[in-house]
Amino acid sequence: MWKLTRPDNRHDKLVRDNLLDLEDHDLVRIESVREDQRQVWVLTRRGHGEAKDLLEPKGIRVSVLRKQEYAPDIGELLGTGYDDHAAAVTSTAAELHRAGIEHRLGFQTEIGHRLADGYVQRADLVVRAPEAGVPVMLLEIDRRTEDAHDLVAKLRRYWEWGRLLPKDAGKHTVDLVRSRPDAIEHVDHEQRLWRRVYPPTGREGLVPVAFVFADTTEEKVANTVAVLEEAGRRYWAPRRYESYYREAITAKDYGQAVPVVVTTLEQLQEHGADAAVWRRLGRTGEQTLTVALDNPDGDVLFRDQEARADAEEKQRRVAEREAQRPVCKRCGRKFTDQRWEETTAHRTAWSAGDVSVCGTCYADDVAREEAAEAARLQAAAPPQSEDDPEPGRGRGWIRRRA
């Protein structure tokens, strides 16, 4: 609590005095003393009850009561084996809070994620800091007490949990997912279980996971990260986009991946959680947290590249069409689209005349033909006598007189 509430205070006298006062009221107790002589305090049953009454109505979850149990044979206090781990978790939360990543009461620990087979994968720490650009992130704090492949198994479980459907999912969606193993990838994230639990991440993919290593050597961290990167590639690595313009697309599809970042508690304490101390699996070098979580080569780049490739493809097709456009054998001008269609379409080609000439030349041909036909008709008509009355006039007079 001292590290979380007073991260910049090097002296814990104020916190210690308050803990002693709470101890006098049977609200807290000392569970153990660490190697550096710092004391680990926990809530008593009475203190745990009061904390729940105070915090849970405000939406703040209280951890499980640490019962005071002793080994029957040696009388040693049980349940203290995770003290160093719990301290590392609290220290990580304190460093995140000091960097402005989450409010001190916004952290949650030991949050369970139930898989389809009933196994519950518990996150050491859950951070929700939308103001800092991290709407949600799951953290695993490892003091190198676990094998690297155990961490890969945890990553796999988070990936599997992100692919589950809620119990009230629609029948059509359930049938689709049951039809084949990868069908869930065609179900939008908004219809999956994880979106009922956590807010949208603001980025592609599933809920990001951070591995924070503490109390270990750089060599061990490097070896563990190498195993995570290689053995866990299926779960964190992006894929190629399925696109017609495959060669023009270098963007990567992060839609089904778990973004994974790694750092050490020592780096967080030395440089701060807002510094460039986070490394994203699949990348080299360290970045700030939000930059590490962002996907500059993701969907935004894909849309841009696809739009550019689409425009270039249209230009190429136009150029190819222009190269094929017929040229009038008489005047040398290119056919218009209308004349080109007239000479090639089955419904109009039979009446298009000379299909080797353009529309203008064809119109001249039609005009000449019409003029020649008019001259022929005029030449074939009998000559009219000058003495003949106008047609119809004489007959009209006779009828009126009769």
Side-chain angles (χ1 to χ4, degrees):
M1 291 297 294
W2 166 52
K3 289 187 176 183
L4 187 58
T5 58
R6 300 281 181 171
D8 296 316
N9 192 339
R10 295 188 177 183
H11 304 284
D12 61 352
K13 184 177 184 305
L14 178 62
V15 175
R16 186 174 68 251
D17 290 345
N18 280 279
L19 286 172
L20 291 173
D21 184 56
L22 293 172
E23 184 182 31
D24 291 340
H25 293 79
D26 193 29
L27 298 176
V28 298
R29 63 178 175 82
I30 298 175
E31 182 171 274
S32 63
V33 180
R34 300 185 63 195
E35 293 181 358
D36 58 4
Q37 300 305 308
R38 290 184 179 176
Q39 298 169 331
V40 177
W41 295 73
V42 298
L43 293 169
T44 63
R45 183 177 297 278
R46 177 183 175 185
H48 189 267
E50 290 195 11
K52 290 183 66 175
D53 293 340
L54 176 65
L55 298 176
E56 290 193 347
K58 300 178 181 180
I60 302 171
R61 180 178 174 271
V62 180
S63 60
V64 177
L65 172 66
R66 296 289 291 272
K67 297 181 180 180
Q68 195 170 11
E69 299 176 346
Y70 295 87
D73 50 350
I74 59 176
E76 183 178 342
L77 183 63
L78 298 175
T80 61
Y82 295 99
D83 289 343
D84 290 335
H85 180 264
V89 172
T90 304
S91 296
T92 300
E95 295 303 327
L96 292 170
H97 168 60
R98 186 172 67 168
I101 304 174
E102 186 58 283
H103 186 270
R104 64 173 61 93
L105 295 179
F107 295 102
Q108 291 180 299
T109 59
E110 294 297 319
I111 300 301
H113 303 82
R114 186 175 297 278
L115 302 177
D117 60 2
Y119 184 90
V120 178
Q121 176 62 54
R122 297 190 179 277
D124 291 330
L125 189 66
V126 176
V127 172
R128 303 191 193 201
E131 298 81 3
V134 188
V136 60
M137 184 170 68
L138 313 180
L139 289 95
E140 289 291 333
I141 316 302
D142 178 36
R143 299 180 60 251
R144 291 306 298 120
T145 56
E146 294 183 89
D147 183 79
H149 290 280
D150 291 337
L151 301 185
V152 174
K154 285 187 176 183
L155 175 57
R156 172 181 57 80
R157 295 185 194 111
Y158 285 125
W159 178 77
E160 291 175 347
W161 183 77
R163 296 163 70 87
L164 294 179
L165 293 175
K167 292 182 178 180
D168 59 350
K171 183 179 183 302
H172 174 73
T173 304
V174 173
D175 292 342
L176 174 65
V177 171
R178 288 176 177 173
S179 64
R180 60 183 189 276
D182 63 342
I184 185 64
E185 298 177 3
H186 302 284
V187 177
D188 189 80
H189 286 280
E190 292 297 319
Q191 300 181 48
R192 301 190 193 182
L193 173 63
W194 78 265
R195 278 294 289 111
R196 302 285 185 89
V197 181
Y198 297 121
T201 65
R203 302 173 176 89
E204 310 102 290
L206 304 173
V207 181
V209 174
F211 288 94
V212 179
F213 302 98
D215 305 326
T216 185
T217 64
E218 293 183 3
E219 182 180 2
K220 288 183 178 180
V221 171
N223 292 337
T224 302
V225 172
V227 173
L228 268 174
E229 206 156 27
E230 183 61 31
R233 179 172 298 275
R234 178 184 180 187
Y235 315 118
W236 63 259
R239 307 174 183 178
R240 287 186 64 98
Y241 270 103
E242 295 181 2
S243 173
Y244 174 76
Y245 312 108
R246 188 175 180 85
E247 294 183 358
I249 303 298
T250 61
K252 300 175 183 177
D253 183 2
Y254 291 88
Q256 306 303 320
V258 176
V260 180
V261 294
V262 298
T263 188
T264 66
L265 179 56
E266 289 74 20
Q267 285 181 298
L268 297 179
Q269 292 172 334
E270 181 179 356
H271 304 288
D274 54 347
V277 296
W278 305 85
R279 184 168 89 81
R280 174 84 171 260
L281 293 192
R283 301 179 188 173
T284 58
E286 295 172 331
Q287 302 171 303
T288 61
L289 180 56
T290 52
V291 172
L293 292 176
D294 287 339
N295 302 312
D297 56 346
D299 62 344
V300 174
L301 178 62
F302 170 71
R303 290 194 295 269
D304 180 65
Q305 289 181 332
E306 190 174 50
R308 189 183 304 116
D310 188 58
E312 292 175 354
E313 177 67 13
K314 289 180 179 178
Q315 291 177 357
R316 185 187 64 79
R317 291 178 180 177
V318 169
E320 288 182 352
R321 177 177 171 79
E322 286 302 312
Q324 298 172 0
R325 185 181 293 275
V327 177
C328 181
K329 293 183 177 180
R330 187 177 303 167
C331 68
R333 287 178 292 191
K334 290 185 176 182
F335 282 27
T336 62
D337 288 343
Q338 180 180 355
R339 179 58 179 169
W340 193 358
E341 182 179 359
E342 288 176 353
T343 59
T344 55
H346 293 295
R347 66 181 183 279
T348 56
W350 65 273
S351 61
D354 186 353
V355 295
S356 66
V357 299
C358 66
T360 302
C361 292
Y362 172 62
D364 292 342
D365 290 345
V366 172
R368 284 194 297 270
E369 291 177 0
E370 290 178 348
E373 178 66 14
R376 186 185 67 77
L377 292 175
Q378 185 176 2
Q384 183 176 351
S385 174
E386 295 180 357
D387 297 332
D388 288 345
E390 293 182 12
R393 289 190 61 182
R395 293 191 296 271
W397 292 338
I398 294 174
R399 289 194 189 94
R400 282 195 292 272
R401 290 178 180 179

